[in-house]
Amino acid sequence: MAVVGDIHANFGALEAVLRDATDVEDIWCLGDIVGYGPEPAACLERVARQCSITLLGNHDAAVVGTLSLSTFNGAAKEAAQWTRGQLDQSAMLFLRSLAPVHHRRPVSLVHGSLRDPLWEYLLSDEAACATFTRMPGHLCLVGHTHVPLWVEEDRSGVALSRAIENGVPRELPARRIIVNPGSVGQPRDRDPRAAYGVLVLDGVRPVSFEHRRVPYDIGSTQARMHAIGLPEELISRLSVGR
Ligand code: ZN
């Protein structure tokens, strides 16, 4: 099972990830398919065709109008407004059909957090605790921060780690766990390569999770963004992964 999230209309990054994930039979998407990037329609078409579970992200919600654009900063707002003009009716209907949370016991998937599915950035011990108290099962997959993360629940609270080893399947512990695979299309952990994860299930039971990074043609995505006239700050950040 590949787990992808925060694709952000970066089709070059998404294609690189899907080419890399040859060892999976299914894909789950944690939301933010569109927003920021230059190819929203192509990303939506691919996600709708290949992912068996797809969540709604805050940028997706802003594009379909269920979330007000006034909650966004200037560059994000500008990109969301441009994105609206790029999507046909079927793409809009697909986005409107999505929800930000999905429970598939014993795994929960959520864009932000179980306390605030569209908006909360799960980066602190306190935020992790709030999600653990709302988790019906063993594992929760989250996106939204664009930062790979591994959080285990322990007796004294939580053990939160951003030090992720890529390319190595990590056995899931007996204790409960929250994992963020990172962002496909706009990483923010100072590694500009596309990020995704591979979850191995035994039946429905989660067994291991592997974080992966994949290089892609960043210059080509940036050239498309320049040609459209998307904000410079959204273009330059792709080179540095922040
Ligand atoms: Zn995002």
Side-chain angles (χ1 to χ4, degrees):
M1 177 81 54
V3 184
V4 302
D6 297 284
I7 297 162
H8 284 293
N10 188 339
F11 191 59
L14 177 61
E15 276 194 311
V17 161
L18 297 181
R19 268 199 305 273
D20 187 72
T22 51
D23 52 340
V24 304
E25 288 175 359
D26 197 1
I27 307 170
W28 289 348
C29 175
L30 300 173
D32 274 2
I33 306 151
V34 302
Y36 295 136
E39 291 174 283
C43 289
L44 274 172
E45 189 276 328
R46 185 62 65 87
V47 165
R49 187 152 47 88
Q50 290 195 239
C51 298
S52 66
I53 299 173
T54 302
L55 303 182
L56 179 79
N58 55 313
H59 287 258
D60 307 318
V63 165
V64 293
T66 49
L67 198 68
S68 167
L69 277 182
S70 65
T71 54
F72 277 33
N73 68 36
K77 191 187 295 180
E78 203 178 320
Q81 277 162 339
W82 173 81
T83 301
R84 280 181 181 167
Q86 304 303 307
L87 301 180
D88 63 17
Q89 207 183 355
S90 71
M92 288 298 230
L93 279 173
F94 174 69
L95 281 181
R96 284 201 187 97
S97 74
L98 305 176
V101 192
H102 185 97
H103 297 289
R104 182 189 180 281
R105 277 183 184 246
V107 184
S108 296
L109 299 87
V110 63
H111 181 66
S113 77
L114 291 179
R115 177 164 64 182
D116 187 348
L118 267 186
W119 275 115
E120 184 173 40
Y121 292 95
L122 201 158
L123 286 167
S124 67
D125 288 11
E126 192 275 329
C129 279
T131 278
F132 277 125
T133 60
R134 291 161 174 84
M135 257 169 77
H138 188 78
L139 168 68
C140 185
L141 299 168
V142 303
H144 191 45
T145 64
H146 300 203
V147 174
L149 193 73
W150 179 279
V151 193
E152 293 182 19
E153 189 178 39
D154 62 23
R155 273 192 205 89
S156 57
V158 303
L160 186 145
S161 170
R162 293 188 207 187
I164 302 292
E165 195 179 354
N166 294 309
V168 184
R170 195 164 164 183
E171 199 178 320
L172 292 168
R175 42 172 93 153
R176 300 197 305 162
I177 180 157
I178 300 168
V179 178
N180 188 324
S183 166
V184 171
Q186 195 201 75
R188 295 180 190 163
D189 60 337
R190 297 176 187 271
D191 180 343
R193 296 174 299 167
Y196 78 104
V198 172
L199 173 67
V200 173
L201 300 171
D202 177 9
V204 294
R205 189 177 68 87
V207 175
S208 68
F209 191 92
E210 176 182 342
H211 283 89
R212 291 183 181 173
R213 296 309 276 254
V214 190
Y216 72 98
D217 189 347
I218 295 171
S220 163
T221 296
Q222 290 173 317
R224 287 175 197 277
M225 295 170 78
H226 269 299
I228 293 160
L230 287 168
E232 185 56 41
E233 63 190 273
L234 301 182
I235 299 171
S236 57
R237 70 189 303 176
L238 295 180
S239 307
V240 286
R242 53 172 288 190

